[in-house]
Amino acid sequence: MVSWEGHVVPFIATVAIWFIATGLIAWADNREHTTFSRSMKIGGVAGIGGLVVILFASLSAEVWAVYLGFVGALMVWGWHELAFLTGAAAGPRRGPIDPGLTGIARFRQAASTVMHHEVALALTALLLISLSWDVPNQIGASVFVLMFGMRLTSKINLFVGVPNTTSEMLPEHLAYLKSYFGPNRMTLLLVFSIAGITAVSVWFAQIALAAPVGSAEMVGASLLFTLSLLGVLEHFFLALPFRDGMLWGWALPKRAAPQRDSATLQGRNITT
């Protein structure tokens, strides 16, 4: 049976945070370069605060602690997103791909554009896993690892090629990333990615439905279900004719000619 407090409220909360946080990050990284330093300072405080929140919440298995750990994980994730999209932490390569590259050489150049960011994400995931290994509330680490996994699949799909691409959310200073995306095409990788994340969503849904009504386990599973469901949606965006500006146009600056030929390497959300 569907519970308002255990299923519906976590669903609404996750969608609301996803929508607002994505817009705020898009707004911050599309502003003038002179504002990036202040944005990173604010983001850094939020990220460190998120780590403290996760540690504090991990000591309790109450419903409030599950929500708190969830928010803490998103604070840390948002810090990483801001660092990448402002260019503070991307990779050693900051220019377009060399013409004519294929295979491993093309992959190496593409990887070098995001290497620093990926290492930071992986180290943070390992840190959260180690800190949450034997604690009552592991939602913080679970959320971050889930988002990391979904984000990784979206980036690989963009590298291989997807049917639908849009660059409305891509800051101008990262426009060179478009040269690393694959051709507009449907691939089995995207199909399997959507199927895999859908399976994860179903698994979390089963846990949420089977848990005691109103319990922390139900709320935590519902939060993870909604987050993975948003990951499915964002992977569908790669296959369907969807524009970022349809949802987050309010957060983007007005540009003379919106580009629609490529997608951002980071995807569109705080989740993938």
Side-chain angles (χ1 to χ4, degrees):
M1 180 180 294
V2 176
S3 164
W4 172 260
E5 293 183 356
H7 298 131
V8 179
V9 172
F11 179 88
I12 295 174
T14 304
V15 173
I17 293 173
W18 168 77
F19 178 75
I20 296 173
T22 300
L24 289 176
I25 292 175
W27 173 78
D29 63 61
N30 276 281
R31 299 178 71 200
E32 296 81 5
H33 283 217
T34 54
T35 66
F36 288 176
S37 176
R38 181 173 59 182
S39 296
M40 281 304 302
K41 290 177 182 178
I42 296 174
V45 171
I48 295 173
L51 287 173
V52 174
V53 166
I54 292 172
L55 288 175
F56 175 72
S58 68
L59 302 178
S60 173
E62 300 294 327
V63 170
W64 65 264
V66 172
Y67 277 112
L68 195 61
F70 177 77
V71 172
L74 296 184
M75 291 168 66
V76 177
W77 184 264
W79 179 24
H80 281 285
E81 286 291 275
L82 190 63
F84 177 80
L85 293 172
T86 58
R93 188 175 181 83
R94 301 295 180 101
I97 193 170
D98 292 337
L101 285 185
T102 59
I104 296 298
R106 175 173 170 260
F107 177 79
R108 286 176 177 172
Q109 282 204 0
S112 67
T113 64
V114 296
M115 185 181 302
H116 296 161
H117 183 246
E118 293 307 302
V119 171
L121 287 174
L123 290 177
T124 303
L126 290 174
L127 174 64
L128 292 177
I129 291 172
S130 63
L131 293 175
S132 304
W133 189 257
D134 193 25
V135 296
N137 179 7
Q138 300 177 337
I139 189 68
S142 300
V143 167
F144 195 92
V145 170
L146 175 63
M147 294 173 69
F148 184 30
M150 293 190 298
R151 175 54 50 81
L152 191 60
T153 62
S154 68
K155 285 184 287 192
I156 294 174
N157 274 288
L158 287 170
F159 172 77
V160 173
V162 295
N164 177 51
T165 55
T166 176
S167 62
E168 290 177 289
M169 295 283 282
L170 181 65
E172 293 182 0
H173 57 273
L174 295 180
Y176 64 87
L177 292 176
K178 296 186 292 183
S179 65
Y180 296 89
F181 304 146
N184 290 358
R185 61 181 178 179
M186 189 66 186
T187 66
L188 286 177
L189 176 62
L190 182 56
V191 174
F192 289 143
S193 297
I194 293 174
I197 302 175
T198 300
V200 172
S201 301
V202 171
W203 181 56
F204 284 131
Q206 291 175 337
I207 295 175
L209 291 172
V213 177
S215 66
E217 182 184 4
M218 174 178 283
V219 171
S222 296
L223 292 170
L224 292 169
F225 160 73
T226 309
L227 201 60
S228 57
L229 192 64
L230 290 173
V232 174
L233 179 64
E234 292 189 348
H235 279 71
F236 267 117
F237 288 166
L238 300 177
L240 302 175
F242 173 82
R243 291 174 46 249
D244 293 310
M246 292 172 62
L247 291 179
W248 294 288
W250 56 271
L252 300 174
K254 293 183 179 180
R255 298 174 182 173
Q259 300 173 356
R260 300 181 182 179
D261 57 332
S262 293
T264 68
L265 188 59
Q266 280 301 105
R268 299 166 174 80
N269 66 16
I270 63 173
T271 67
T272 100

